[in-house]
Amino acid sequence: MKKILVTGGAGFIGSHVVRRFVKNYPTYHITNLDALTYAGNLENLKDIEDYANYTFAKADITDYPAILKIFKQANFDAVIHLAAESHVDRSINDPMAFVRTNVLGTVNLLQAARETWASFEGKRFYHVSTDEVYGSLGENGLFTEETPYDPNSPYSASKASSDHFVRAYGETYGLPYLISNCSNNYGPNHFPEKLIPLFINNIIENKPLPVYGDGNYTRDWLYVIDHAAAIDQAFHKGKNGETYNIGGFNEWKNIDLVNLLCQLMDEKLGREAGDSAKLITFVKDRPGHDLRYAIDATKIKHQLGWEPSVTFEEGLSSTIDWYLNNQEWLTRVTSGAYQTYYKEQYE
Ligand code: NAD
Ligand code: TYD
């Protein structure tokens, strides 16, 4: 039995990774370690919580004694690290929370692995990161694994720092590691603070759709289930010490994406064509807003055989269906502290 620690498994991407590993690998035991912050929700894993090869551990990665205790008890063979503060706007408002979880928390995990792994033979520390560490592209070009790090937001700076610490533990102590840097994800269980789930929720509630600046910013969108599949491939087939870029070959200007979303939502909600688009409101730009992200994902395609499996139209359509069919989930995660966040950010 292989013992794998997944951190951040109650969050958006982590829940898809945990589900995939628990279901597809019955000979693995998956421990999901998560602090259950505003972004973590065990409801995301309801369907697998009773599986014999799954355990949940509530812990904060900034708490080293707690983390070390779990590592000592479990003797993990591998770590897949996703726990993080993940929202750029929140990082602008409270950078220190990002330093604590993303930098200190990552180093705590590296240190616990180093301290408890008597031999590194057969071990692996897989760090899940973002393409935002590369900074911003102009109108042309793509991020490759060789693009120099140039982070602009407190979020991307904290993720870049965590990537560097992972490499440093590899170089200095020989810790076997792997990093992947992925583009923007979308899909079920996405907390409604990021563009796509926020706008789906606002369209349902007939609230304004706050497009930052002129909306001419570009992101490269990937369906979260394809990201989980890429993590599976990289975890099993990737080489230690390597970085893999993961992306959808799917660039959209925000305003075009929002218009497509409005059109699909009108159809699904039975509204008049053009109704939802009337909610579009151009608002003050995000400070330090990166113009464009786009990933060259040919390395993972050629070396590990991974590529996206769904088109954007298919993925977006099933994402909208998921939110329409899970409005209780939406109501629950948007009650309480979310209301304060929303008011401070948008009103
Ligand atoms: P998320 O915000 O949905 O989930 C983060 C999870 O981490 C939550 O369950 C939360 O409770 C947990 N967590 C936060 N702080 C913690 C702490 N101190 N201790 C333990 N658990 C803690 O994030 P996500 O969008 O699923 O992102 C997961 C990872 O993937 C992050 O490392 C992020 O940087 C990376 N990533 C995200 C995207 C994206 O588009 N969302 C793209 C590329 C990479
Ligand atoms: P987001 O989902 O926050 O992801 P990231 O900043 O990590 O790329 O934002 C995606 C794009 O959408 C980004 O260019 C900022 C923009 N955006 C808005 O225009 N309005 C919003 O309310 C949000 C949350 C994002």
Side-chain angles (χ1 to χ4, degrees):
M1 194 102 183
K2 202 170 190 159
K3 284 173 276 176
I4 301 176
L5 174 69
V6 178
T7 70
F12 167 47
I13 301 169
S15 61
H16 292 280
V17 171
V18 166
R19 176 175 298 100
R20 184 179 178 99
F21 274 71
V22 166
K23 285 193 165 177
N24 291 3
Y25 301 104
T27 60
Y28 294 177
H29 189 95
I30 308 300
T31 299
N32 168 18
L33 186 160
D34 198 297
L36 300 181
T37 68
Y38 77 92
N41 189 349
L42 285 178
E43 213 181 312
N44 296 345
L45 290 166
K46 228 73 242 72
D47 56 321
I48 55 109
E49 67 184 6
D50 293 330
Y51 278 55
N53 65 336
Y54 171 73
T55 308
F56 174 67
K58 185 170 188 304
D60 188 328
I61 59 170
T62 66
D63 179 351
Y64 188 65
I67 296 305
L68 188 61
K69 196 168 157 203
I70 292 170
F71 268 76
K72 280 188 173 154
Q73 279 167 352
N75 192 23
F76 299 116
D77 298 297
V79 176
I80 306 178
H81 173 37
L82 296 105
E85 287 292 340
S86 66
H87 189 38
V88 172
D89 292 325
R90 288 186 192 252
S91 83
I92 294 168
N93 299 334
D94 182 11
M96 203 50 85
F98 287 69
V99 175
R100 278 195 297 270
T101 289
N102 299 359
V103 186
L104 179 66
T106 300
V107 180
N108 279 342
L109 291 166
L110 291 164
Q111 188 57 26
R114 185 182 156 225
E115 215 173 307
T116 51
W117 288 350
S119 152
F120 289 156
E121 189 60 38
K123 305 285 192 193
R124 172 159 276 187
F125 191 104
Y126 181 167
H127 178 58
V128 175
S129 193
T130 166
D131 61 351
E132 302 189 26
V133 299
Y134 298 124
S136 181
L137 291 163
E139 293 296 336
N140 301 307
L142 299 172
F143 295 135
T144 72
E145 288 78 1
E146 276 71 50
T147 303
Y149 276 34
D150 189 19
N152 293 314
S153 73
Y155 165 65
S156 54
S158 70
K159 290 297 289 187
S161 172
S162 65
D163 292 11
H164 290 321
F165 269 106
V166 174
R167 277 173 211 282
Y169 268 68
E171 292 298 319
T172 309
Y173 309 112
L175 190 86
Y177 74 90
L178 193 77
I179 299 176
S180 57
N181 296 87
C182 187
S183 64
N184 289 59
N185 285 215
Y186 69 97
N189 299 135
H190 205 184
F191 194 79
E193 60 185 353
K194 311 274 169 58
L195 180 73
I196 291 179
L198 174 77
F199 280 30
I200 291 175
N201 189 40
N202 284 13
I203 291 170
I204 294 172
E205 294 191 351
N206 262 308
K207 281 166 57 176
L209 306 177
V211 174
Y212 296 158
D214 59 6
N216 282 318
Y217 294 89
T218 299
R219 298 292 182 263
D220 173 358
W221 295 93
L222 179 68
Y223 195 47
V224 64
I225 289 170
D226 278 331
H227 188 191
I231 289 173
D232 185 343
Q233 290 286 87
F235 179 76
H236 287 102
K237 294 206 227 147
K239 279 206 206 116
N240 284 333
E242 291 283 328
T243 284
Y244 298 92
N245 279 357
I246 304 170
F249 295 105
N250 179 41
E251 287 183 52
W252 284 79
K253 280 199 159 70
N254 292 342
I255 191 64
D256 297 335
L257 188 163
V258 171
N259 276 314
L260 173 63
L261 191 63
C262 288
Q263 183 200 317
L264 290 171
M265 293 286 290
D266 281 344
E267 287 164 16
K268 289 182 192 280
L269 291 168
R271 293 183 183 169
E272 291 278 315
D275 264 8
S276 298
K278 288 183 193 142
L279 299 168
I280 294 173
T281 314
F282 292 92
V283 300
K284 194 163 147 280
D285 212 347
R286 172 188 279 174
H289 199 163
D290 285 333
L291 178 69
R292 176 171 165 260
Y293 305 143
I295 282 274
D296 178 349
T298 47
K299 178 178 171 182
I300 190 166
K301 182 176 174 187
H302 291 152
Q303 294 188 7
L304 308 183
W306 172 87
E307 58 187 333
S309 72
V310 296
T311 65
F312 191 48
E313 284 72 8
E314 287 165 348
L316 199 55
S317 175
S318 45
T319 301
I320 297 169
D321 291 342
W322 186 85
Y323 282 92
L324 292 176
N325 293 328
N326 288 274
Q327 292 199 35
E328 278 177 22
W329 181 96
L330 258 182
T331 307
R332 241 190 310 280
V333 303
T334 56
S335 58
Y338 179 86
Q339 294 300 327
T340 316
Y341 164 78
Y342 193 87
K343 277 198 180 71
E344 281 172 9
Q345 187 66 27
Y346 296 109
E347 287 172 6

